[in-house]
Amino acid sequence: MKPASFDYHAPPTLAEAVELMARLHEEGVDAKILAGGQSLMPMLAMRVARPEVLVDLGKIKSLDYIREESGAIAIGAMTSKRAAEASALIERQQPLFHAATKLVGHRQIRNRGSVGGSFAHADPASEYPAVALVLDIVFKAVGPEGERTIPAGDFFVTYMTTSLESTEVLTEVRLPVLPAGTGWAIQEFARRNGDLALAGVATTLKLAAGVCADVRLAAFGVNATAVRLTGAEEFLRGKRPDRAVLAQAAAMAANDLDEPMSCVHASADYRRHLIRVLAERCLLEAAARAI
Amino acid sequence: MTTKQRICITVNGVRHEREVEPRLTLVDFLRHELYLGGTHVGCEHGICGVCTVLIDGRSARSCLALAVQADGCDVTTVEGLRDGATAQLHPIQQAFVEAHGLQCGFCTPGFMMTTLELLTENADPSDDEIKEALGGNLCRCTGYESIIASVRLAARRLREQQGA
Ligand SMILES: Cc1cc2nc3c(=O)[nH]c(=O)nc-3n(C[C@H](O)[C@H](O)[C@H](O)COP(=O)(O)OP(=O)(O)OC[C@H]3O[C@@H](n4cnc5c(N)ncnc54)[C@H](O)[C@@H]3O)c2cc1C
Ligand code: FES
Ligand code: FES
């Protein structure tokens, strides 16, 4: 369980990191970005990943920030999950993202793991991609051609794959502030506290005159990426969020899923069952919070 | 061949300069370069928590950090708990002894370092807060109840010390 050899660079600025990634790419060198290492280090130890060079973003202080900017919360990619968890701004203005952060791993993992790293890593069982789909999070990335913005809907491609180019650095994650009165919830099932989820659901629910005006529902841990459950979302529009209606929507969400993944810990059928149960609980919780 | 890197890491207050391969993990640096064997190594991929140390005051799995990443950092290991002048056990260590927080002791350094971070932040944690904080550390012997009792005892002793 020791990583294979690699060379290591820790550029002090973003510009130098981007230039270095571009140069290594041109030279045909297999280089990988290192952030908090909480996913990449296990992959190196098991030699699932064997890059020739690691480019560590840890020295780039300009990628570590949380600030409010015109109705959004901007988080630098290298901000630790611990800092996001400790941020009163995030807890107040974006409680869904805050609750999701607390579900990620254990304190040792959140101390070192970056906010950006979880999105770039795109683990299908991670909480963050589902929250990105529910909230329409926007990503900023910088590559040799400059900066571009990527909406969540275009960011996650498949299992552990995003639309980031191998030379691009994810620099910022922009969360919209949750509008006052919007209900929200995130629930998951894991074998042990802090483990990656076998299945989970995240939701926001907005009411107007007592009926559902806008519901966002996404599942994680079941398919190759997090998925929006649009059938259930549509079904709820214009309906009163009473228990029977929410249960019907949850059943619809579970039925509509593409065949879930299956492993020794949970069969496809069990995962589908979990999504129904968790979706119902999430919708109830979100409806109770909505005003 | 990879290029070795010169790094300087402060461990338990002592500066150490070494040339290391980039792939050397922090836990192997502590154990094999500095001969500090108190930090244990189990799974080597982030699952068990036995390798927990503090990096700049924050608990971290030292198998998931490279020594080169800790260049310039302040690391605290289990060897740093005991009082250097009096050689007395730290109240956390004493509490683990008295409340039977260990059997084989393999997991103990990790639990104690996580406890150190918890009690620095929260002098009087509830049982739920203790369980949440220790959730990333595994123990195959105790069944955890005596570990939770040890943390409770340590918290009380530290509060009394502060009050005194
Ligand atoms: C015991 C344990 C439990 C965990 N539980 C959970 C959990 O419940 N939920 C969860 O979501 N995660 C969990 N994780 C994973 C953890 O959250 C990681 O921190 C996270 O997935 C990656 O963030 P990182 O900063 O550590 O990135 P790294 O591990 O350094 O990098 C991960 C990948 O992303 C790429 N990358 C990172 N940052 C950038 C960037 N800025 N630009 C471009 N590419 C980048 C890297 O090249 C690499 O491929 C767990 C990990 C462990 C060890
Ligand atoms: S040895 Fe580091 S977590 Fe198991
Ligand atoms: S005391 Fe033996 S593993 Fe915990």
Side-chain angles (χ1 to χ4, degrees):
Chain A
M1 294 291 267
K2 308 289 178 196
S5 313
F6 49 78
D7 269 322
Y8 171 87
H9 300 279
T13 65
L14 175 63
E16 283 163 277
V18 171
E19 197 189 299
L20 180 60
M21 287 303 287
R23 183 158 54 74
L24 290 167
H25 183 72
E26 262 167 41
E27 290 167 4
V29 175
D30 177 17
K32 214 156 177 43
I33 287 170
L34 172 67
Q38 302 303 289
S39 292
L40 187 52
M41 284 294 292
M43 292 173 74
L44 295 173
M46 290 184 273
R47 303 203 176 187
V48 182
R50 296 185 66 145
E52 293 166 85
V53 174
L54 282 188
V55 177
D56 183 1
L57 305 182
K59 296 271 185 297
I60 308 178
K61 294 288 164 264
S62 67
L63 292 180
D64 181 2
Y65 57 86
I66 299 172
R67 53 184 177 238
E68 203 171 355
E69 270 175 21
S70 45
I73 301 168
I75 307 179
M78 286 300 289
T79 308
S80 74
K81 293 194 183 74
R82 183 52 174 261
E85 187 182 351
S87 159
L89 173 71
I90 295 177
E91 186 172 13
R92 200 174 55 241
Q93 308 270 45
Q94 192 34 269
L96 175 57
F97 184 81
H98 190 256
T101 302
K102 290 203 290 187
L103 288 175
V104 176
H106 318 284
R107 60 168 51 221
Q108 297 94 338
I109 308 302
R110 295 192 295 272
N111 278 342
R112 299 217 30 104
S114 66
V115 168
S118 282
F119 292 106
H121 189 59
D123 191 310
S126 170
E127 296 81 2
Y128 274 7
V131 169
L133 296 182
V134 164
L135 296 178
D136 282 331
I137 285 178
V138 174
F139 300 97
K140 275 191 189 172
V142 174
E145 262 95 72
E147 185 180 87
R148 68 180 178 122
T149 327
I150 312 162
D154 298 335
F155 190 76
F156 304 102
V157 176
T158 181
Y159 187 75
M160 292 187 175
T161 309
T162 68
S163 55
L164 288 173
E165 300 292 335
S166 60
T167 50
E168 272 180 324
V169 177
L170 175 64
T171 55
E172 187 177 286
V173 177
R174 286 181 83 83
L175 320 171
V177 164
L178 196 74
T182 303
W184 59 272
I186 180 164
Q187 297 219 10
E188 66 179 33
F189 181 75
R191 293 292 288 256
R192 292 173 309 192
N193 176 30
D195 276 4
L196 281 157
L198 292 179
V201 172
T203 189
T204 58
L205 189 152
K206 203 181 295 173
L207 295 178
V211 300
C212 295
D214 187 18
V215 179
R216 292 293 195 98
L217 193 64
F220 53 99
V222 282
N223 294 143
T225 64
V227 278
R228 279 271 299 276
L229 304 165
T230 49
E233 292 177 357
E234 295 294 327
F235 168 78
L236 285 169
R237 194 183 304 277
K239 294 202 173 61
R240 271 186 195 286
D242 60 46
R243 189 170 267 277
V245 166
L246 297 180
Q248 220 180 324
M252 192 178 259
N255 267 330
D256 286 351
L257 278 179
D258 285 342
E259 181 70 358
M261 42 188 179
S262 179
C263 69
V264 289
H265 302 295
S267 66
D269 282 352
Y270 182 49
R271 282 192 157 87
R272 201 186 284 282
H273 166 78
L274 285 174
I275 293 300
R276 186 181 62 69
V277 173
L278 294 168
E280 186 176 337
R281 289 181 191 167
C282 255
L283 288 167
L284 277 167
E285 193 184 340
R289 283 198 179 107
I291 37 172
Chain B
M1 261 315 283
T2 54
T3 326
K4 283 200 174 185
Q5 306 242 338
R6 176 155 287 278
I7 57 169
C8 178
I9 304 180
T10 302
V11 181
N12 304 326
V14 182
R15 276 167 54 99
H16 297 275
E17 252 187 75
R18 290 286 190 287
E19 278 213 345
V20 301
E21 264 196 87
R23 64 166 161 167
L24 185 72
T25 59
L26 179 59
V27 69
D28 284 347
F29 175 79
L30 294 169
R31 292 172 58 86
H32 302 163
E33 289 288 331
L34 306 186
Y35 302 113
L36 292 172
T39 303
H40 291 169
V41 56
C43 68
E44 295 193 292
H45 67 283
I47 304 298
C48 69
V50 299
C51 64
T52 304
V53 299
L54 303 191
I55 303 179
D56 291 335
R58 292 289 189 197
S59 66
R61 285 160 160 32
S62 58
C63 71
L64 295 189
L66 296 167
V68 288
Q69 282 179 292
D71 183 24
C73 291
D74 242 309
V75 174
T76 311
T77 69
V78 70
E79 288 91 345
L81 283 178
R82 194 188 267 262
D83 189 305
T86 65
Q88 272 217 335
L89 291 183
H90 186 279
I92 293 175
Q93 292 172 305
Q94 192 59 40
F96 270 70
V97 172
E98 288 175 35
H100 307 285
L102 61 143
Q103 288 179 23
C104 79
F106 186 72
C107 67
T108 315
F111 273 99
M112 293 199 298
M113 298 317 286
T114 308
T115 301
L116 180 62
E117 183 188 45
L118 170 68
L119 298 184
T120 309
E121 287 170 2
N122 181 353
D124 191 8
S126 66
D127 277 10
D128 277 350
E129 286 168 331
I130 295 173
K131 286 181 193 168
E132 169 64 33
L134 299 181
N137 294 74
L138 300 182
C139 173
R140 299 305 299 260
C141 301
T142 60
Y144 301 103
E145 287 303 327
S146 59
I147 294 179
I148 293 161
S150 304
V151 177
R152 254 194 324 253
L153 178 61
R156 204 183 71 217
R157 292 265 171 79
L158 284 164
R159 283 198 309 275
E160 283 166 4
Q161 230 178 45
Q162 240 105 65

